[in-house]
Amino acid sequence: MDLSQQDWADQLKADTNAVVLDVRTEDECSEGMIPNAINIDIYKGQGFIYAVEELDKAKNYYVYCRAGSRSAQACHIMNQLGFDHTYNLEGGFMQWKGEVDFPKE
């Protein structure tokens, strides 16, 4: 499900069963990440699928990428793998106005 930046942030804040998933590349993550996000690069293809299959399907996943299209694709893949609650951040990290963490070197 696509959510606007505001709806995504509001719903995430209220969700006690949430996992934030960043599907960008490692290089992109070095530009900053939404706090507490885990990174699984969708460009890793089958590796992405293997990593996602390790995740808890009972959680709610808030997925983002740079602009919103890779994360929409990731949500679609996750839904096919049996994840019922995936939320795509429309506009992606480029339009994110919330808090940002920078990965430690």
Side-chain angles (χ1 to χ4, degrees), residues 10-61:
D10 290 347
Q11 190 171 315
L12 173 61
K13 194 191 280 183
D15 192 339
T16 56
N17 196 35
V19 176
V20 180
L21 179 61
D22 183 329
V23 297
R24 299 175 302 158
T25 65
E26 203 173 303
D27 279 354
E28 289 173 305
C29 290
S30 69
E31 297 164 15
M33 294 174 75
I34 294 173
N36 304 314
I38 58 171
N39 174 240
I40 304 175
D41 182 355
I42 193 167
Y43 284 151
K44 291 206 159 66
Q46 193 62 41
F48 172 78
I49 291 169
Y50 291 145
V52 164
E53 285 181 324
E54 301 288 313
L55 299 174
D56 181 352
K57 288 183 173 70
K59 299 275 186 196
N60 302 324
Y61 290 89

Side-chain angles (χ1 to χ4, degrees), residues 2 14 18 26 29 47-48 57 59 66-67 73 88-89 104:
D2 291 342
E26 203 173 303
C29 290
F48 172 78
K57 288 183 173 70
K59 299 275 186 196
R66 187 165 176 267
Q73 188 183 357
N88 178 40
L89 177 61
K104 290 156 190 60

Side-chain angles (χ1 to χ4, degrees), residues 54-93:
E54 301 288 313
L55 299 174
D56 181 352
K57 288 183 173 70
K59 299 275 186 196
N60 302 324
Y61 290 89
Y62 293 79
V63 188
Y64 73 96
C65 64
R66 187 165 176 267
S69 66
R70 278 176 284 169
S71 49
Q73 188 183 357
C75 287
H76 180 71
I77 292 167
M78 291 173 77
N79 294 152
Q80 288 181 318
L81 294 171
F83 290 84
D84 292 330
H85 304 286
T86 60
Y87 304 101
N88 178 40
L89 177 61
E90 285 181 349
F93 190 72

